[in-house]
């Protein structure tokens, strides 16, 4: 692992984690090493507390820096202790553009591949807020599958994600509740998770430096889609928002929200057909895969 050349820190029982028989949820957490993010230590500490309530987590922290931050190293060794890897890799401009977070997330995917780690991958940003339910639910994903779900503090109606036609076992992606609605998959980075088996099925699965602004998630999900992976919906994550984007700042583009963050009320505001145009929605492509409700 040291051959990666990214200052890998295996300071908290990694060997025991890698040989455990339990199902693991893997968190990829991106830190931006810059003076403008004075709250990052507080965000990291808050996430550490949240993760301490989630079982069987390996926390991969990837910092955009040329060396580790002693303050972060010290925090990771402060209770509550969580099995973790601390990686640092600099963002290198591609075609004159800096794609924030792409190099860091891809570095973590490389670690997972190279060590044949088995579990569920979830990209967690430093300024989001999470409930413990989120981690419990995504850990249910079986092999060769992925999931999408709403993310709060985005979108015209206070969240961004899929609106699904209900069925006993399957659901058709009918509409997207969104604010940037031109993508095939109108999903925030915090609104997707996938099983590590897809990293073997799609050896080049990674976030693309060629993605245009706002399209990273959609392009990534389209690559997963091409592998004929199974799309599951987790009812608890579809019923109520469990993660919030940029939690310290209200989303200025939101016109509505409901205080308990349940999503069912959205039906009364949505379009009645693909011919009707309603602000904050866009029809889902009919070529998107059908989703299976994962009821456990």
């Amino acid at each position: 692992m040291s051959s990666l050349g990214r200052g890998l820190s295996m300071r908290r029982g990694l060997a025991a984690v890698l040989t455990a028989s339990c199902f693991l949820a893997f968190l990829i957490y991106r830190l931006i090493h810059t003076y403008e993010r004075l709250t990052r230590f507080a965000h990291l500490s808050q996430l550490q507390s949240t993760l301490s309530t989630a079982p069987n987590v390996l926390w991969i922290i990837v910092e955009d820096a040329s060396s580790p931050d002693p303050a972060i190293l010290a925090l990771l060794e402060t209770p509550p202790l969580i099995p973790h890897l601390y990686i640092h890799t600099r963002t290198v401009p591609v075609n004159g553009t800096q794609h924030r977070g792409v190099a860091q997330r891809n570095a973590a995917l490389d670690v997972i591949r190279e060590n044949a780690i088995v579990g569920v991958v979830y990209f967690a940003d430093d300024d989001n807020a999470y409930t413990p339910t989120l981690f419990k639910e995504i850990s249910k994903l079986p092999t060769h599958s992925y999931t999408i779900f709403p993310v709060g503090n985005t979108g015209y109606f206070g969240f961004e994600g899929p609106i699904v036609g209900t069925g006993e076992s399957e659901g058709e992606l009918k509409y997207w509740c969104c604010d940037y609605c031109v993508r095939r998959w109108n999903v925030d980075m915090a609104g997707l998770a996938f099983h590590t088996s897809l990293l073997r099925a799609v050896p080049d699965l990674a976030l693309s430096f060629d993605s245009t602004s706002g399209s990273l998630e959609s392009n990534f999900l389209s690559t997963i889609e091409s592998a004929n992976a199974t799309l599951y919906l987790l009812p608890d994550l579809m019923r109520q928002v469990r993660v919030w984007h940029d939690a310290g700042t209200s989303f200025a583009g939101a016109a509505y929200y409901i205080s308990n963050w349940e999503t069912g009320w959205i039906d009364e505001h949505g379009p009645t057909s693909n011919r009707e145009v309603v602000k904050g929605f866009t029809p889902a492509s009919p070529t998107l895969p059908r989703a299976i409700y994962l009821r456990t």
Side-chain angles (χ1 to χ4, degrees):
M1 299 175 78
S2 58
S3 63
L4 292 174
R6 298 189 187 94
L8 201 58
S9 173
M10 296 174 289
R11 303 171 70 90
R12 181 63 186 155
L14 176 61
V17 174
L18 295 182
T19 59
S21 59
C22 57
F23 195 89
L24 303 175
F26 295 95
L27 281 291
I28 297 176
Y29 185 89
R30 179 172 59 88
L31 290 170
I32 302 300
H33 189 78
T34 170
Y35 68 92
E36 289 129 334
R37 298 303 294 268
L38 297 178
T39 59
R40 72 192 196 97
F41 189 92
H43 287 314
L44 185 61
S45 180
Q46 185 176 37
L47 180 55
Q48 181 185 41
S49 179
T50 301
L51 291 181
S52 69
T53 66
N56 306 323
V57 169
L58 173 61
W59 190 11
I60 304 179
I61 305 100
V62 189
E63 179 146 27
D64 190 348
S66 56
S67 61
D69 184 333
I72 300 302
L73 284 170
L75 177 65
L76 294 172
E77 292 301 316
T78 303
L81 298 176
I82 299 169
H84 65 267
L85 295 175
Y86 182 26
I87 305 169
H88 54 84
T89 186
R90 269 290 189 190
T91 295
V92 178
V94 176
N95 298 325
T97 302
Q98 284 195 346
H99 295 262
R100 291 178 56 186
V102 173
Q104 288 72 38
R105 293 183 176 104
N106 287 344
L109 294 180
D110 287 343
V111 170
I112 293 170
R113 276 195 189 93
E114 293 167 10
N115 292 277
I117 299 173
V118 178
V120 174
V121 178
Y122 178 71
F123 297 116
D125 267 348
D126 57 355
D127 52 5
N128 291 352
Y130 311 87
T131 66
T133 299
L134 171 71
F135 307 123
K136 175 184 175 182
E137 289 298 307
I138 62 175
S139 69
K140 298 176 182 178
L141 278 180
T143 59
H144 205 70
S145 70
Y146 62 113
T147 189
I148 57 176
F149 43 87
V151 175
N153 206 26
T154 58
Y156 184 74
F157 289 94
F159 69 88
E160 180 176 71
I163 307 298
V164 182
T166 58
E168 184 173 338
S169 60
E170 292 189 356
E172 177 186 2
L173 300 179
K174 296 174 59 179
Y175 299 96
W176 299 106
C177 185
C178 48
D179 62 288
Y180 179 61
C181 299
V182 300
R183 299 164 290 170
R184 177 172 176 81
W185 296 87
N186 289 284
V187 176
D188 186 80
M189 189 68 74
L192 67 95
F194 62 97
H195 196 275
T196 55
S197 56
L198 293 178
L199 294 174
R200 297 189 296 275
V202 188
D204 59 348
L205 181 61
L207 293 165
S208 174
F209 283 97
D210 295 326
S211 294
T212 57
S213 178
S215 297
L216 273 174
E217 301 92 336
S218 185
N219 292 346
F220 187 77
L221 285 166
S222 293
T223 303
I224 291 178
E225 182 186 352
S226 68
N228 295 318
T230 302
L231 173 60
Y232 283 106
L233 298 178
L234 299 162
D236 280 354
L237 300 187
M238 294 296 297
R239 186 181 306 116
Q240 188 174 29
V241 171
R242 306 289 188 176
V243 53
W244 293 264
H245 173 75
D246 197 10
T249 305
S250 297
F251 178 60
Y256 302 89
Y257 81 99
I258 190 167
S259 58
N260 64 5
W261 292 98
E262 292 183 351
T263 60
W265 66 281
I266 204 71
D267 290 339
E268 64 187 67
H269 294 274
T272 58
S273 72
N274 284 349
R275 295 185 298 274
E276 184 180 7
V277 177
V278 177
K279 186 176 177 62
F281 292 91
T282 192
S285 169
T287 63
L288 284 170
R290 289 186 66 85
I292 299 174
Y293 287 103
L294 185 60
R295 305 186 189 277
T296 57

